[in-house]
Each structure stands twice: as structure tokens, then as C-alpha cells.
Amino acid sequence: MKPAPFDFVSPDSLEEALAVLAETGEDARILAGGQTLTPMLNMRLVEPAVLIDISRLQTLDYVRRENGHIELGAAATQAALEAWPDLPACAPLLAQALPHVGHFQTRNRGTVCGSLAFADPSAELPLCLALLEGEVVLQSSARRRVVKAADFQLGMLSTARESDEMIIAARFPVAEAGTGYAFTEMALRHGDFALAAMAVMARKGSLRIAVGGVADRPVARDYPADLGGDALDDALNDLAWDLAAADDHHATARYRRELVRRLGRKTVEEALACRA
Amino acid sequence: MPRLKAGELSRISFELNGRTVSGYAEPRMLLADFLRHEVGATGTHVGCEHGVCGACTLRLDGAAIRSCLTFAVQTNGRHVETVECLAAEDGTLSRLQAAFRRHHALQCGFCTPGILMSLEDFLGRHPSPGEQEVREMLSGHLCRCTGYSGIVRAVMEVVAESESGDA
């Protein structure tokens, strides 16, 4: 339960970090908060040759509102976002979801971009990014590109990031006026990985529902705004089956489908109540 | 740009509970292990080594963090506080420690240092938490002796004392 040996690089700038990444590629890992990477190192699930510590790069440590987005740099912690004074107004969904991300002791170091990079199917932040149709900014020494949430997370722990790229920022669209947002999850203990997590955005003209923890990635779907009663139950039932849930040692597929149906209904009702 | 080679020792120096400490560590050495094996500060316990059990929690620049998920090399020049800083020099317990003793909030004591250090940060940010918030905070710590009831009672008593101005 101790990491295998690695070189430890502390770049003084983003450019230096990207240069090391370009040179080392798949054998390098970016260390930001380390709240997922370090457990994997400790358990030797990953044995990179080089760790590139970006946690002290001030230029990447920011949360700001810009062009209709809340943009976070790669070194911005989950705690920093949680403490951002504009959060409840600008991103009520994130304000609801963040307390479920690990524990406050891990949010003190864990970063938002790090969670997106890891791409755990049951993680809250990728689910929020999927529901809100946010984007990530990927940069290498050679290029910069912006990737939409739906194109970024490709599957279980798998993303569109190339080995010479790092996520330098994440962008969540600012909450729209007259739209209701809600987040709910079921976990065995507060802070554990979700057995199922639901996020809902209720616009005047449409309803968007996203599910985490069931399929191999967060799945978001759009529905008509007037979906209610039996039609809502039917839609959630179809969604639950489409996710192809699997049994694991935390819960059965059948239980997860039931969570999608029940949590789904509850979360939709909450989002509609917020919109009113 | 500083680059530490795998397996090579480098000098680490930081402030621990108000005193400068130093030692040598490979890049892969966890802060928890550095404290226990290099500095000799064994108050911080090591449990799961993947951030779940909370036994190794301490404060880094004031924030409660897992020292099993932080490398010693990352703490150069920073401020670390561990459970050893809580009681007075003469052994007088802090209010929280005394409340833990009164309410049987520990039995074997393995989880206690981490819980106390989390609470130092948590109660600083939330001076008047409700019981539910305290229980949610404690979800970041595993205690297999007490069933948490005594811990919750101890915390709520300290909170009530602070609110009534007995602090």
C-alpha cells in the first residue's frame, strides 16, 4: 500500500508542465489534488514514471464567471468552488452536488478538473457537467481544444484526453433564469460513491434528466417540459432499462433501476418546484 | 524547474505545531509516513491509505486533509498541525478532547486524532452546526468502537458551550 517509485516534477509554469507531459506522455500523471490519483498510486493500480505537481501553479488556481460560464482552473479545489460566494446564484446544481463529492477533508484538496479527468461513472461533477452541457479545455504543448461534456467522457474512467494533453480548465454554464435545478443521490454512506445519482434541469420548454452511477458514464436525455404523471414514470422506466445497469458488490442492477425510477421522480419534482 | 528523482532522498522542512521540523524523504513518501517515521510524531495514525478511514487527518495550512493522500515533498515550507498540538504543555486537554473523554467518544483511540483534527477545521468554519451536519462531517471518519453516538454528544456539548458563551 505504498506507491511505486516515481520522479516528482514541480513545474513553475503551465508551459513547463506541458513540456514534461509532451516528453513523457503516458508515463506521466498530472497531480493536482491527488484525492483519486494518490489512492491509485498507493494501491499500485497506476505506476507512472513521473508525477507533475500542478497544485501550486497560481495561474491555474481560479474560479471565475466568464462568457456565461463558471470557469475553474485545473488547480482549483472543490472546496474553493464550494466556498465561492456566487455559487448558489450562478450554479445551484453544483451547490447541491458538491457536498456529496467525497468528504469535506478530501474536497479541501481534490480539484474539480481532477474529478472530470478521472471520469468515474458515479462521480458527481462529471454528472453535473453532462447535465449542464459544460466543456473542458484541453491543452498540450502543440494545441488547445475545447471539448463538450458529451464528447469528453467516453466510458468507464475513459476520456477524450490525449496523453500529451491536460485539462487546464472546466466550464459550467451559468444557471438560466426561470430554470429549476435539482440533484439527488443514493449512497451507502454520505460521501461514498453514488449507487445512483440524478441531476435534473427544468426549463420552461424542456426537461433534461441525467443519471450517474448506473451506466459506464453519465447519461443525459431531453424530454418535453410537460412530461408528468404516468408519462414521467414511463420515461424514467425506459431510461432505467436503457442504462444497462450491472450487478456489483454494492447493489444489484434491479435496485439501481428502481433508484433511477424513484430518485428520478423525486429529483424532477424538486427541479420543477425550484422553477416555480 | 525542480525535479526529484525516483528513490532519491531530498530534504523536507516545514512547521509542525509551531516548530520547524526537517528530514529526508523519497518523492513517494506520504506525509503520514514522514511524520511517523522521520519526525517521530506518531499522534497521526495510518489506516486505510486511500482516504476513506480518516485516521490520518491533520491540518495543512489550516485545512483538514488526509496525510495519506499528500506527499511529504508537497509540504515544504508549509504549516502542519497534528493532534499533538491540541493539549496544553502540562497535559490539560482541549475542550473538545475533554468532552470526548466525558462522553466516551473513544475506546481504542485509533480514529480519534483524525476526528479531532477534522473538527478543529470544521468547527472553525461552522461554529454552530446541527447534529445532522456533524454526522455528515463524521462520515469522513471510520470509528468501529463507539457507534459515533458519544462523538456526536461530545461535539454537540462543545457547540452548546460555545453558543452559551462558556468558552
Side-chain angles (χ1 to χ4, degrees), chain B residues 3-76:
Chain B
R3 181 170 190 138
L4 305 169
K5 286 297 214 181
E8 268 180 29
L9 298 177
S10 67
R11 187 177 165 80
I12 314 285
S13 178
F14 55 81
E15 196 179 281
L16 174 65
N17 302 327
R19 288 157 58 172
T20 303
V21 295
S22 56
Y24 289 85
E26 288 181 47
R28 65 172 172 153
M29 183 172 250
L30 301 167
L31 175 57
D33 292 332
F34 182 79
L35 285 171
R36 293 179 59 83
H37 303 304
E38 296 301 312
V39 178
T42 53
T44 302
H45 294 167
V46 177
C48 71
E49 294 187 314
H50 58 277
V52 173
C53 79
C56 70
T57 305
L58 48 71
R59 293 176 81 180
L60 179 63
D61 295 337
I65 62 134
R66 307 291 202 218
S67 60
C68 74
L69 300 186
T70 301
F71 294 105
V73 294
Q74 295 182 288
T75 55
N76 256 322

Side-chain angles (χ1 to χ4, degrees), chain A residues 150-235:
Chain A
D151 302 323
F152 178 68
Q153 191 160 347
L154 302 178
M156 171 94 71
L157 312 184
S158 163
T159 70
R161 186 187 72 85
E162 300 289 341
S163 64
D164 64 340
E165 290 176 321
M166 70 176 264
I167 301 180
I168 59 162
R171 295 171 180 161
F172 294 87
V174 170
E176 304 157 12
T179 297
Y181 299 87
F183 180 92
T184 320
E185 77 170 41
M186 175 64 85
L188 294 176
R189 288 184 311 156
H190 186 88
D192 275 6
F193 282 113
L195 299 176
M198 308 282 308
V200 173
M201 175 162 65
R203 289 188 169 115
K204 285 227 158 51
S206 69
L207 191 63
R208 188 169 163 83
I209 301 176
V211 188
V214 182
D216 65 346
R217 73 194 86 172
V219 172
R221 289 221 182 136
D222 293 295
Y223 299 93
D226 58 359
L227 192 71
D230 290 348
L232 175 59
D233 287 337
D234 288 346

Side-chain angles (χ1 to χ4, degrees), chain A residues 1-3 7-8 105 108, chain B residues 4 6 28 33 49 64 118 125:
Chain A
M1 292 289 281
K2 306 291 180 194
D7 286 5
F8 191 89
Q105 302 91 336
N108 276 339
Chain B
L4 305 169
R28 65 172 172 153
D33 292 332
E49 294 187 314
S118 272
R125 298 184 206 203

